Amino acid sequence: MARRPTLIATMVLATGFGILGCADTSDDAATTEQRDTVRMFVAAEQVDCHGVAPMRCMQVRYSPDEPWQLFYDGITGFTYEPGYTYELLVRVDPVENPPADHSSLRYDLIEVEAKTPA
């Protein structure tokens, strides 16, 4: 009977360390999985679009062969100039609990790979 408390204590400690170890690993994995790097192509002209109110949107695509699509968000660190097409490398991160009228994704410029006069 003297061994039983020692065995139980050992199991509790091992389980506790196992849970802590898993929690640290899963947090790191979740952070890594949430980040994504994408190549974006931006058209030379913005177009009228409607979000919460009428506004001007960039036109983007993720491959030169795709049709242009409206982009309602901004890209942190990127200054758009009309009359140029762009090829950008952008990091995309999820936003926790975004306001109802905002995107659930955040876009951050990594690099302007090309800026070409239209």
Side-chain angles (χ1 to χ4, degrees):
M1 287 271 185
R3 291 181 158 249
R4 194 163 188 68
T6 305
L7 178 60
I8 292 171
T10 303
M11 290 174 61
V12 168
L13 285 173
T15 302
F17 287 127
I19 290 171
L20 289 175
C22 289
D24 290 344
T25 303
S26 65
D27 288 345
D28 292 342
T31 302
T32 302
E33 290 173 350
Q34 290 175 350
R35 294 179 183 231
D36 196 12
T37 301
V38 297
R39 183 170 312 282
M40 293 176 73
F41 298 87
V42 180
E45 298 300 324
Q46 292 181 325
V47 295
D48 291 330
C49 60
H50 294 281
V52 174
M55 54 192 270
R56 303 281 290 167
C57 289
M58 289 188 290
Q59 300 175 83
V60 302
R61 57 187 174 193
Y62 297 93
S63 164
D65 302 329
E66 294 179 349
W68 293 108
Q69 54 187 310
L70 296 177
F71 188 72
Y72 293 85
D73 296 309
I75 302 170
T76 303
F78 174 63
T79 303
Y80 174 83
E81 289 182 59
Y84 292 92
T85 58
Y86 296 89
E87 183 177 341
L88 309 175
L89 196 57
V90 176
R91 188 180 73 229
V92 183
D93 292 308
V95 175
E96 288 189 35
N97 304 317
D101 60 343
H102 285 78
S103 176
S104 62
L105 298 174
R106 175 186 164 99
Y107 298 84
D108 293 298
L109 179 67
I110 296 172
E111 182 178 357
V112 175
E113 295 201 336
K115 178 181 178 181
T116 309

